[in-house]
Amino acid sequence: MLAYLVRRSAYGLFVVLGVIFFLFVLFFTVASPDDIARQAVGPKAMPEVIQQWKVNHGYHLPVWPGAGHLSDNLLVDHVQRMIAMDFGKSDADGVVIWERIRQGMWPSFFLTLPMFVIGMVASILTSLFVAFFRETYLDRWVVALSVLAMSIPTLLYIIFGQFIVGTLLRWFPVSGFDADPAVILRFLTLPVLIGVVSGLGSSVRFFRTVFLEEIHRDYVRTARAKGASEMRVMFYHVLRNSLVPILTQVVMEIPFLFTGSLLLEAGFGIPGLGAATFEAISANDFSTLRAMVFLGSLMFIVGQVLTDIGYTLVDPRIRLDA
Amino acid sequence: MLLEVKELTCSLRLAGQEVPIVDGVSFNLQAGKCLALVGESGCGKSMTALSLLRLQPKVAHIVGGQVLLSGKNLLGYSVPQMYQVRGREMSMIFQEPMTSLNPVVRVGQQVMEAVMLHEQVSKKAARSRSIELFKRVKIPQPEQRFEAYPHQLSGGLKQRVMIAMALSTRPKVLLADEPTTALDVTIQAQILELLRELLQDFQMAMLLITHDLGVVNQIADDIAVMYAGRIVEQAERRQLLTQPQHPYTRGLLGALPGRAAPKAALSEITGSVPSPAHWPSGCRFRPRCAEAMERCGHAFPELIQLGETRVACFARQTNQEDR
Amino acid sequence: MMELSNSPSAQAMLSNGIVVSLLALGGLAARAVLRNELWRAAFARVLGLRRWSIVVLSLYVAVALLDSVVWVGGSMQSEDQVASFEARSVIDRLFVDTTEKGYSAPMARVEFYDKSPLLHPQRHLLGTNILGQDVLYVTLKGARVALLIGGLTSLITIPLALFFGMTAGYFGRRWDDLVFFVMSTLASMPGILLLIVLIMVLGKSTVSVCVALGVTSWVGFCRLSRGETLKLREMDYVSAARSLGVSHGKILLRHILPNLMHLVIITFVLLFSGLVLAEATLAWLGIGVDGSWGQMIAVAKDELSRDPVVWWNIVPAGAALFGLLLSVNLIGDALRDVLDPRTWGSQD
């Protein structure tokens, strides 16, 4: 199994390199440093101004390695910095990107972690419940509701959530954030709630499908024949066997925890990483965007390797063949 | 008499109608004896067994009859009461050992679960009891095999685990739904031998579902033949195999290679089994029966005792009347 | 990125051309389906299950088509002389001469804030927006944008993903390693972020947005078709065909592809709704396609905090978006249930 771990991690590393290279191509060839400079200083600026901007931001080196500058070019520079996770400064306001990440990390976390945990628990419980009542009216209603819920875009959830709960009912503030433990719940409750509700539709549908597939399997019939109650069948047998797809789903959410929910943070004025990304978009801040994508990818790849290891723990068939 | 089944009827909603896929089935099971329920696929034999434990699929409903276990009607039990019957007084083993065991739980654990669901014993006690059962069902190296996962065991071993699981609480009745169909022929013989032994030692009653007459010959004491949801003939093993009465039974036995004269063509039953939505009126075997009469299309032949056999056939009744 | 000739007639020809080819494509597909018994039965079932959703979806398609049939010239009595030289669609012409100066409530006679009389009193079923445009008009135009994003992008993404997935699964080894690596790399980048980054880099035109959406969504289906192809490759009938000397190309086309078609259809429908949703998100972030419902919603968000509330901008756009997504999702669900190969035996 150790060999498997090593192989898996090695492949993960390869993918990281792939991402670095992809980002390079995207940011330095498809959009050339000249374009970026022009976007920052204005399309009609003088060549000297553009050149100066490029020097200030480190974009002045030749793009590809070539004769005379094998290590003194943007490609090598980019690769080195990405590997070292030195993201440099923001193109827009010169702030060191790691600073911004450090600041924004916590508000994002406070938002996405509860959202993730509550959402996961709520959808799994609902799906188990629905699987228990499969083929009854309850099941059909829940499925219909899920499809309905899935068809409402997140922005509408945010807008209407804010409008109804914030403006009409005045239960919670519509936006803003204060990390002071005394008041933090007031600001987080609404966004967390809306985040959970907007994701419930698709999660419940997904988990329901997974559970229903398991519940029709032969070993479930055996368990019932042994005298296991329906509850035990669902919570022990079915759940245990559904862990592989559940784990997969969980991993897909991991980068989300770090990059923060763009929509929610922008809509609720929470100063997390998502909001930082949002500002980067309007400010054409390529270096920040680059950093965010890279960070997200890193998280995801790490998550994937961890899940693959997780699979071996959860499913003995995979463990003993690996 | 451990189990009495009287007029059990279970129906399915097909094409807008309620179709009784188990139609007025009656039989008795006695301690230490095995009744084989024989028939082609789709005749309702598996559904009958499932109905006894009320494990029939959600789309099927038990609409009539009685299932008397030691005198008490299981059909009247509440669901929590059924939890106490299943695996404890009446157990079932299934056809596909490959998929019938939980793939992510060790087999020993699964047998322990069967014990701990019904008796208040410590884990240690359950564990040692399970290992004893492993020995009883002749699983070699029982302590090691206890920790194994299902996919690490062969089909035969898995089926032995299933049997151990089913017998862990010394049930009165064992239902076996084609337990050997998915196994190699040599293993098949071993498993049947084992079941035979356990039947005697535990003094259980067994209902064996199968479509394989060879299996029947090895282990059954009595045989009941099912066709399209009804029992059409029932007799003691030797009696049925040597003197079959119902045209269907005769057809089945006539199709066995061993019985035909050398170089003679195997006889076959013309036509094919009708699907439940298209059952003919009157006797359901009529369209395929060489002895079909006018009567057969109008009414159901009831299962009547004719000599040593119980048979549901107007042709046989007519024979009887003619004597 | 791609700047076609700007002349109105060129635009008109392109738009009409696309309409015609789409209709032709639809006709061919319909014919292929009707010819095959299994497909015909499947679609008949879906038709029965989801009649209303199909009706609603057809309405959307009809409006979008009406908005795509364009020609230059027209009535000279319009207030806007410039407009008569542009390529305008059927919808455009229905709503010619309806602009006001600013907000007005549905079916009102006066402007919303300063109460001055409207130029076209009681003509605006859903009121007017901040630019004075009839809200019903703007909403109807959004249909074309939504279907363009969802439909056109899918039409391009799916064949590409199918090609890569099928060939990767079938031929294996080096090519498969390469495709798998590219898939892993792209898939490891969080979707929204990748989308944003691509648009920032490629530009904000409709075409760029579609390309960006395509790049972020092809991996899912590629993976799916690769997985299925791997399974199909092991099937006995493929080995049989190989042993008879059938070429790889023929096997792919005749044996593998037809068995992937049900996935293609389901993916197309579900991808469609995913793409429309994604574009709405982009609009919220300020980088959506002009004229889309997402953009309307994003812009109209602030109006809900005005006093008195201006609701008639966001409600039609939201309802239109919801209606489209709901009907597509319902149809997609029904299709998935019907086309699942496991249910294809039980037609008794």
Side-chain angles (χ1 to χ4, degrees):
Chain A
M1 196 174 102
L2 195 63
Y4 179 69
L5 234 143
V6 170
R7 253 187 300 136
R8 196 62 197 80
S9 313
Y11 194 77
L13 240 82
F14 260 119
V15 178
V16 171
L17 286 173
V19 172
I20 293 179
F21 187 68
F22 178 77
L23 286 177
F24 178 74
V25 167
L26 204 60
F27 279 102
F28 291 95
T29 44
V30 176
S32 69
D34 279 332
D35 293 332
I36 302 178
R38 236 171 253 129
Q39 279 195 351
V41 293
K44 298 219 165 62
M46 311 273 278
E48 301 90 53
V49 178
I50 292 184
Q51 187 61 24
Q52 187 57 44
W53 190 93
K54 281 178 16 180
V55 170
N56 287 347
H57 286 85
Y59 288 127
H60 58 285
L61 299 167
V63 178
W64 296 100
H69 43 86
L70 273 174
S71 57
D72 206 17
N73 52 65
L74 287 176
L75 176 61
V76 171
D77 181 53
H78 170 84
V79 172
Q80 280 176 334
R81 289 172 54 184
M82 285 290 138
I83 293 181
M85 299 228 276
D86 167 18
F87 298 127
K89 295 186 269 187
S90 151
D91 280 342
D93 57 12
V95 171
V96 174
I97 294 181
W98 265 115
E99 250 323 293
R100 181 157 281 140
I101 293 178
R102 240 187 296 265
Q103 282 176 347
M105 209 167 69
W106 295 108
S108 287
F109 226 51
F110 287 140
L111 176 64
T112 51
L113 198 61
M115 213 169 89
F116 174 68
V117 169
I118 298 177
M120 192 101 320
V121 168
S123 16
I124 291 184
L125 284 179
T126 314
S127 317
L128 276 175
F129 186 68
V130 166
F132 187 86
F133 286 108
R134 60 195 177 282
E135 284 161 46
T136 58
Y137 275 116
L138 191 73
D139 184 22
R140 256 172 281 202
W141 271 105
V142 172
V143 171
L145 268 174
S146 306
V147 178
L148 216 98
M150 260 169 64
S151 308
I152 302 178
T154 317
L155 350 94
L156 284 180
Y157 275 117
I158 297 178
I159 293 176
F160 282 113
Q162 284 181 321
F163 185 64
I164 295 174
V165 179
T167 312
L168 283 183
L169 295 172
R170 296 193 180 273
W171 281 349
F172 294 106
V174 160
S175 67
F177 183 75
D178 188 339
D180 182 354
V183 288
I184 196 174
L185 270 182
R186 283 189 67 219
F187 290 107
L188 280 182
T189 318
L190 193 54
V192 167
L193 206 65
I194 291 186
V196 167
V197 168
S198 63
L200 262 185
S202 43
S203 302
V204 167
R205 288 225 61 237
F206 174 71
F207 288 129
R208 176 183 170 275
T209 316
V210 170
F211 292 144
L212 282 183
E213 245 200 62
E214 287 308 305
I215 222 178
H216 285 119
R217 295 219 194 272
D218 286 346
Y219 69 81
V220 172
R221 186 181 54 178
T222 308
R224 291 205 188 101
K226 274 201 290 203
S229 65
E230 263 321 283
M231 285 296 253
R232 186 175 168 83
V233 163
M234 299 244 59
F235 279 93
Y236 179 69
H237 291 273
V238 169
L239 198 55
R240 252 325 242 98
N241 276 273
S242 308
L243 285 180
V244 166
I246 291 181
L247 207 58
T248 318
Q249 191 72 357
V250 164
V251 159
M252 304 229 295
E253 306 278 324
I254 288 186
F256 183 67
L257 295 182
F258 290 89
T259 56
S261 168
L262 282 172
L263 297 181
L264 286 173
E265 291 187 16
F268 283 96
I270 296 176
L273 291 178
T277 314
F278 181 57
E279 282 161 23
I281 298 173
S282 3
N284 282 322
D285 186 351
F286 287 97
S287 50
T288 305
L289 286 174
R290 197 162 57 227
M292 290 297 163
V293 176
F294 183 67
L295 218 60
S297 306
L298 209 60
M299 294 298 136
F300 189 74
I301 295 171
V302 168
Q304 281 239 287
V305 175
L306 287 177
T307 333
D308 278 357
I309 299 176
Y311 287 156
T312 63
L313 290 173
V314 148
D315 190 334
R317 291 169 288 190
I318 301 178
R319 174 190 328 167
L320 301 159
D321 289 338
Chain B
M1 216 142 33
L2 289 182
L3 188 73
E4 279 181 79
V5 178
K6 295 182 179 172
E7 298 291 316
L8 180 64
T9 308
C10 178
S11 62
L12 199 62
R13 196 166 184 79
L14 275 179
Q17 311 166 290
E18 288 292 323
V19 178
I21 46 178
V22 176
D23 197 357
V25 165
S26 307
F27 56 83
N28 300 327
L29 296 179
Q30 287 151 342
K33 291 202 160 184
C34 171
L35 170 68
L37 197 53
V38 179
E40 292 171 83
S41 317
C43 68
K45 50 194 202 297
S46 289
M47 196 61 77
T48 307
L50 287 172
S51 303
L52 296 181
L53 280 176
R54 289 179 43 201
L55 284 178
Q56 77 280 6
K58 275 201 172 189
V59 292
H61 324 276
I62 300 179
V63 294
Q66 291 181 316
V67 176
L68 301 171
L69 183 64
S70 305
K72 283 174 288 192
N73 188 3
L74 294 181
L75 297 182
Y77 275 29
S78 68
V79 171
Q81 285 175 312
M82 281 312 291
Y83 290 155
Q84 290 308 311
V85 170
R86 294 176 192 151
R88 189 199 219 174
E89 299 190 39
M90 186 152 61
S91 293
M92 189 159 176
I93 58 178
F94 297 95
Q95 179 177 341
E96 285 285 351
M98 294 288 158
T99 51
S100 293
L101 291 171
N102 190 331
V104 300
V105 177
R106 295 179 204 273
V107 294
Q109 284 272 65
Q110 300 193 42
V111 179
M112 273 170 66
E113 184 186 11
V115 175
M116 286 166 66
L117 275 171
H118 297 292
E119 297 176 28
Q120 300 278 16
V121 291
S122 69
K123 275 199 176 168
K124 265 186 83 178
R127 195 197 144 92
S128 49
R129 187 137 128 211
S130 306
I131 298 189
E132 275 311 305
L133 282 162
F134 270 36
K135 291 184 188 156
R136 204 69 174 62
V137 298
K138 307 209 178 98
I139 295 179
Q141 299 168 303
E143 283 90 359
Q144 278 125 310
R145 291 283 154 70
F146 192 82
E147 303 294 334
Y149 285 100
H151 69 280
Q152 296 172 300
L153 302 176
S154 71
L157 279 180
K158 280 202 273 263
Q159 198 61 297
R160 289 180 198 265
V161 170
M162 287 277 286
I163 295 173
M165 212 159 66
L167 298 179
S168 55
T169 47
R170 298 197 144 239
K172 298 182 185 134
V173 178
L174 178 66
L175 306 173
D177 189 354
E178 312 227 30
T180 53
T181 310
L183 303 172
D184 292 334
V185 181
T186 42
I187 311 290
Q188 194 165 303
Q190 290 175 14
I191 299 287
L192 290 173
E193 181 68 48
L194 176 67
L195 283 171
R196 184 90 224 146
E197 225 181 86
L198 293 168
L199 208 59
Q200 291 306 319
D201 290 347
F202 283 58
Q203 280 296 298
M204 292 185 303
M206 181 154 103
L207 178 70
L208 175 74
I209 314 268
T210 182
H211 63 267
D212 186 339
L213 291 169
V215 167
V216 170
N217 199 26
Q218 263 196 276
I219 190 175
D221 295 298
D222 298 288
I223 308 179
V225 179
M226 256 184 104
Y227 186 82
R230 315 195 94 217
I231 295 186
V232 296
E233 184 167 353
Q234 191 175 345
E236 187 265 329
R237 176 176 58 98
R238 293 222 72 204
Q239 172 71 22
L240 191 130
L241 291 178
T242 51
Q243 295 181 333
Q245 298 296 313
H246 195 279
Y248 178 56
T249 322
R250 289 185 180 172
L252 281 181
L253 291 168
L256 281 177
R259 314 190 98 225
K263 297 209 184 151
L266 290 174
S267 69
E268 57 166 37
I269 312 177
T270 54
S272 53
V273 183
S275 73
H278 302 121
W279 279 338
S281 56
C283 173
R284 289 174 189 154
F285 188 61
R286 181 182 43 88
R288 307 170 72 186
C289 184
E291 306 179 52
M293 308 178 301
E294 181 71 53
R295 259 179 110 179
C296 302
H298 299 306
F300 260 162
E302 291 299 327
L303 201 60
I304 302 177
Q305 188 82 30
L306 290 171
E308 296 290 321
T309 320
R310 297 172 68 206
V311 143
C313 180
F314 288 130
R316 292 292 90 76
Q317 287 179 27
T318 321
N319 293 149
Q320 184 79 326
E321 285 152 22
D322 286 343
R323 290 211 195 116
Chain C
M1 265 173 71
M2 280 162 35
E3 276 306 344
L4 302 156
S5 158
N6 259 330
S7 88
S9 2
Q11 282 181 345
M13 278 205 312
L14 180 66
S15 186
N16 296 334
I18 293 182
V19 170
V20 169
S21 22
L22 281 177
L23 287 174
L25 214 79
L28 281 173
R31 203 178 66 148
V33 164
L34 287 173
R35 280 238 188 105
N36 182 314
E37 208 185 270
L38 281 173
W39 285 108
R40 193 172 47 215
F43 276 100
R45 272 187 71 191
V46 176
L47 206 76
L49 287 170
R50 295 276 181 254
R51 227 166 304 158
W52 280 115
S53 303
I54 295 182
V55 165
V56 168
L57 189 62
S58 319
L59 278 173
Y60 279 96
V61 172
V63 171
L65 283 177
L66 281 177
D67 198 29
S68 306
V69 173
V70 290
W71 67 97
V72 187
S75 57
M76 294 304 283
Q77 294 129 329
S78 66
E79 302 165 342
D80 190 352
Q81 298 289 353
V82 177
S84 61
F85 291 105
E86 290 175 337
R88 292 180 297 160
S89 71
V90 174
I91 306 266
D92 289 328
R93 286 158 198 279
L94 280 175
F95 285 92
V96 94
D97 298 343
T98 56
T99 326
E100 305 287 349
K101 278 183 288 198
Y103 282 118
S104 73
M107 303 297 284
R109 293 172 182 274
V110 294
E111 293 241 352
F112 195 59
Y113 285 114
D114 60 18
K115 305 292 183 208
S116 59
L118 290 177
L119 296 167
H120 310 278
Q122 295 203 308
R123 276 279 302 277
H124 302 288
L125 276 171
L126 293 173
T128 55
N129 64 15
I130 194 170
L131 295 172
Q133 294 169 307
D134 185 302
V135 169
L136 181 60
Y137 170 57
V138 178
T139 312
L140 285 176
K141 281 195 83 76
R144 178 173 161 276
V145 176
L147 268 97
L148 199 76
I149 293 169
L152 226 55
T153 314
S154 303
L155 274 177
I156 300 177
T157 311
I158 290 185
L160 275 175
L162 189 64
F163 171 74
F164 283 112
M166 253 187 359
T167 51
Y170 187 76
F171 292 112
R173 273 170 285 167
R174 288 280 172 76
W175 178 239
D176 184 25
D177 287 340
L178 184 64
V179 172
F180 191 75
F181 181 70
V182 172
M183 278 201 306
S184 305
T185 310
L186 275 175
S188 68
M189 291 184 262
I192 299 196
L193 284 180
L194 183 60
L195 201 54
I196 292 171
V197 154
L198 281 169
I199 293 181
M200 301 292 289
V201 162
L202 296 172
K204 302 183 186 171
S205 67
T206 311
V207 177
S208 319
V209 172
C210 284
V211 169
L213 283 170
V215 170
T216 35
S217 13
W218 73 275
V219 174
F221 186 56
C222 189
R223 198 176 272 155
L224 195 61
S225 49
R226 176 179 171 275
E228 279 299 305
T229 308
L230 280 174
K231 274 193 265 179
L232 289 170
R233 189 177 63 168
E234 306 302 323
M235 292 268 146
D236 288 337
Y237 56 84
V238 173
S239 318
R242 283 296 296 147
S243 67
L244 286 172
V246 182
S247 72
H248 287 303
K250 280 231 177 77
I251 293 184
L252 279 172
L253 276 174
R254 290 243 208 91
H255 294 288
I256 309 243
L257 184 60
N259 281 291
L260 294 174
M261 282 316 281
H262 69 280
L263 286 173
V264 169
I265 295 185
I266 295 171
T267 308
F268 180 82
V269 174
L270 296 176
L271 189 62
F272 185 96
S273 75
L275 288 171
V276 172
L277 211 53
E279 190 278 329
T281 309
L282 289 175
W284 178 258
L285 297 169
I287 40 180
V289 176
D290 266 333
S292 73
W293 290 319
Q295 202 189 48
M296 279 175 70
I297 295 175
V299 161
K301 176 205 168 193
D302 299 317
E303 295 169 355
L304 285 179
S305 39
R306 286 176 189 247
D307 185 24
V309 173
V310 173
W311 53 269
W312 54 90
N313 263 312
I314 199 173
V315 169
L321 196 55
F322 176 65
L324 180 63
L325 289 172
L326 186 63
S327 44
V328 169
N329 278 336
L330 283 174
I331 294 177
D333 251 18
L335 271 174
R336 195 173 18 200
D337 287 338
V338 166
L339 291 180
D340 184 351
R342 283 173 281 185
T343 63
W344 276 24
S346 50
Q347 298 291 347
D348 226 320

